[in-house]
Amino acid sequence: MDRTGTDILDLWDLRVRENPDAPALVTPRRVLSYRSVDLLTDAWAASLTGHGARPGRLVGLAFADPGRTVLGMIAALKAGSGFTVLDDRLPAAARTSLVRRTEAAVWLGDGAHAPAAAFVPTGPAGAGTHSGAGTHSGAGTDSHPGTDSHPGTDLGTGPGDTAYVLFTSGSTGQPKGTVVERDALRRFAVAVAERLELTAADRWLQVASLGFDVLIEEVFPALMAGAAVVCRADTHALDAEELHSTMAATGTTVVELSTQYWLEYARWLDARGLTTPADLRLVVVGGERMDPRPYRQWQARQPARLAHVYGLTECTVSSTFYTGLLPAGAEEVPLGTPLRDVEISVRRDGRPVPPGQSGEIHIGGPLLARGFLGDEAATARRFVPDAWAAVPGARVYTTGDLGRIDPDGNLVFLGRLDDQVKIRGHRLEPARVERALCEDPAVDQAVVFPDPGTGTALWGFTVPADPRHAPLPGEAVRLTGAERDALLAPLEAALPDWAVPRVLYRVAVLPKNPHGKIDKRRLSDWAAGAAGPSGATGPSGATTAGRAAGPGDQAGPGGPAAGPGGRDEPLATVVDLFREVLGAPGLGPDDDFFEHGGQSLLAMRLLARLRESFPASAGLRASALLRSPTPRLLAGSLGTSGASGAGGAGRPRQVGRP
């Protein structure tokens, strides 16, 4: 498939010529063939050119419809421009900043988040479609010939021109706009299509947020392979049940999920005794460290294969893939081997180290981004000259990630440089200890960090694999005696004394801060009031017989009013579930889910718990939480829909505790 010196649009033209009637874009309302998409995006590109789009300028995309976003990306490239995508989840101030910083020549869009000047271009009359939302049939019925002549062809586009600018999350400061060139996009799309063995028979479901770089991976490798991109009706996150039914209905063969999203889906399948849909052959998973246990469990139970992926926005989305079966003795799920045109090295103090030794992961090769938009200083810090490259002038990206190359040539992730801690003079990667704790079948998740008082000992917080053994949300129970000893015995046998956590707690959930990172300060607060199994004293020596308000407590002022039985149902139970999922024991009936750290994955968990509590609410979807983001509003909607069920008006099923 690779043709050195070609543009990504040359490969697009090849797909249009080879199979013009194959489905390219599948949406709930229609299926567009390659020929139809080609005609439509030609018309859009002509409109963009008329509004000032050209090489060196950007086209902004602010659609509420993922399908139109895909069309806009292709049209922008045809107009010779790069594109940027405005995420509709961003707050207004962040959107305004992004629009200002990109200085796009023109904006396309129809969402409420779109800039005032955004518009939707019209397409050519008679561009055929095949209706039948989400069906397995796929060809468009138009008879117009494909064309190799695009509005941008005569504008002098070259391999170094901008293909797109997407912004990092900004969790460590202001979001940085990463500039990726056309040649890097072409090479990336070809390399991923080859590694994942994509064919024209594949259908890749688009689920990533539209401002996230995974969108690029969901779209361009599929199109360069002649496959179809399957789009949702809108940008709302799919919960596990919706994901499953959507994949089954559309004949999805490939999907990419974040690590936590995949874990939610895996738990949902296991709880219902289901397997992945028949057509699904591959699930790409990445974004966070992967624990080997759920990876092995999936491989043992599910027909769909796994591909573990590693990459950064600054290096054109993904750099390595691991697609093999995990060996029984593996302590880590490898990140895999590099794609073609990607160079991976592990370095210490800037010098490559031999395989097996740890160091900072460096990424080189032609898939590197040009740099950060309007930020030469940050570009110079992270994209540095590669003194060890065979090619003069080569650059390498310093990832800040720690890793090593294993005996099979796979890259293995060991943590972040900035996650290292010092315990009694020794440098420690907390992930190493967390992995050891998670080897115990009774432990689902774990986090360790130095005690906030002296910093001389490690504290460990574990989430039990069986929710029935979890304490109330907002509580931390200190482990003592035989239970603590049994959990630490394997660590004491494998780790130095200073690396073994001496204080262990059990919690219901690892709380997250607004950036999605584990909130260690909140865990420390929980530990300050922790109770032992028998109301023992916490680490400060204070008695801990009391506790923070939990899901079963009355909320006090503003809380659910007690009914005849002491609880106002269904409101009391909905408040309980909000508190449980958000890890916020003081949350009241009028507190907004999203203002208290709620996000898409937690919304999925909340909806699943609501369905367990109120069987008649089986059809509840994420959109209900968007409309009713507080416990009071959501409980009201449950009552209106009869979610409490017949024969038990307002009485929920007991959940979560024995």
Side-chain angles (χ1 to χ4, degrees), residues 416-475:
R416 286 284 299 172
L417 280 171
D418 51 16
D419 284 342
Q420 285 188 339
V421 298
K422 240 183 179 180
I423 297 293
R424 306 207 303 260
H426 301 278
R427 295 199 68 81
L428 173 70
E429 302 299 335
R432 180 185 180 192
V433 184
E434 292 160 3
R435 290 193 295 271
L437 286 170
C438 288
E439 285 298 312
D440 191 305
V443 176
D444 184 48
Q445 295 175 281
V447 65
V448 301
F449 53 88
D451 76 271
T454 67
T456 60
L458 283 180
W459 283 7
F461 292 80
T462 64
V463 177
D466 187 343
R468 293 175 300 177
H469 298 156
L472 295 173
E475 284 188 352

Side-chain angles (χ1 to χ4, degrees), residues 528-550:
S534 303
T537 60
S540 64
T543 59
T544 55
R547 62 174 177 83

Side-chain angles (χ1 to χ4, degrees), residues 1 3 10-22 34-35 146-148 199-200 223-227:
M1 184 187 296
R3 290 166 174 80
D10 296 322
L11 300 182
W12 166 263
D13 289 335
L14 180 63
R15 295 293 157 245
V16 175
R17 288 197 305 270
E18 287 182 339
N19 207 348
D21 294 324
Y34 271 82
R35 179 190 289 125
T147 175
D148 293 342
T199 71
L223 295 180
M224 294 306 103

Side-chain angles (χ1 to χ4, degrees), residues 172 310 312 360-361 382 397-403 413-421 427-431 517:
T172 58
Y310 167 76
L312 299 97
E360 183 179 8
I361 300 170
R382 303 304 295 269
Y397 183 76
T398 59
T399 66
D401 292 329
L402 286 168
F413 179 73
L414 299 176
R416 286 284 299 172
L417 280 171
D418 51 16
D419 284 342
Q420 285 188 339
V421 298
R427 295 199 68 81
L428 173 70
E429 302 299 335
K517 306 294 185 182

Side-chain angles (χ1 to χ4, degrees), residues 232-394:
R232 301 160 290 156
D234 52 43
T235 60
H236 294 159
L238 301 172
D239 64 30
E241 183 177 343
E242 291 171 318
L243 173 69
H244 187 76
S245 60
T246 298
M247 291 191 297
T250 58
T252 291
T253 63
V254 182
V255 68
E256 183 161 356
L257 306 175
S258 70
T259 305
Q260 292 300 319
Y261 194 175
W262 171 75
L263 286 170
E264 290 288 338
Y265 181 48
R267 293 186 185 111
W268 184 87
L269 289 172
D270 287 347
R272 287 151 184 79
L274 297 175
T275 59
T276 50
D279 291 314
L280 187 68
R281 68 173 184 86
L282 182 66
V283 180
V284 182
V285 183
E288 297 180 59
R289 177 192 163 268
M290 171 70 72
D291 186 71
R293 185 170 57 202
Y295 200 90
R296 288 194 186 94
Q297 290 172 344
W298 178 282
Q299 290 182 326
R301 300 173 187 172
Q302 301 300 335
R305 293 190 300 120
L306 289 175
H308 194 211
V309 61
Y310 167 76
L312 299 97
T313 306
E314 297 89 343
C315 305
T316 313
V317 193
S318 295
S319 297
T320 67
F321 282 82
Y322 179 75
T323 56
L325 291 174
L326 190 64
E331 297 179 354
E332 281 291 334
V333 180
L335 302 178
T337 55
L339 294 173
R340 192 212 314 187
D341 290 327
V342 174
E343 299 166 5
I344 297 289
S345 59
V346 175
R347 307 185 184 192
R348 192 177 301 143
D349 299 323
R351 301 174 64 89
V353 300
Q357 293 190 18
S358 63
E360 183 179 8
I361 300 170
H362 288 60
I363 302 177
L367 265 62
L368 289 190
R370 181 190 302 163
F372 299 118
L373 183 69
D375 195 339
E376 294 181 2
T379 298
R381 284 195 302 270
R382 303 304 295 269
F383 297 86
V384 300
D386 188 0
W388 301 93
V391 179

Side-chain angles (χ1 to χ4, degrees), residues 36-210:
S36 297
V37 171
D38 196 49
L39 287 166
L40 184 57
T41 53
D42 274 354
W44 282 27
S47 178
L48 290 172
T49 303
H51 282 79
R54 62 181 186 274
R57 298 299 305 274
L58 289 176
V59 170
L61 303 174
F63 289 108
D65 177 354
R68 281 183 167 176
T69 301
V70 174
L71 294 172
M73 293 192 293
I74 299 170
L77 293 172
K78 286 186 175 185
S81 294
F83 60 84
T84 190
V85 183
L86 188 62
D87 192 335
D88 62 355
R89 303 172 308 162
L90 291 174
R95 294 199 303 268
T96 300
S97 174
L98 188 149
V99 171
R100 175 183 53 79
R101 292 171 61 191
T102 56
E103 298 181 336
V106 57
W107 279 90
L108 301 183
D110 59 356
H113 65 298
F119 70 99
V120 180
T122 57
T129 65
H130 178 87
S131 63
T135 62
H136 287 262
S137 58
T141 58
D142 53 273
S143 59
H144 302 279
T147 175
D148 293 342
S149 178
H150 303 300
T153 303
D154 300 326
L155 296 177
T157 54
D161 285 326
T162 300
Y164 65 84
V165 175
L166 290 180
F167 286 78
T168 60
S169 65
S171 59
T172 58
Q174 184 184 37
K176 294 180 176 64
T178 303
V179 183
V180 174
E181 298 173 348
R182 294 174 80 102
D183 188 57
L185 176 59
R186 176 189 64 84
R187 290 174 181 268
F188 166 75
V190 169
V192 173
E194 288 180 347
R195 178 63 65 90
L196 301 184
E197 300 177 335
L198 301 179
T199 71
D202 278 308
R203 291 187 170 202
W204 193 317
L205 178 63
Q206 193 283 306
V207 296
S209 300
L210 297 186

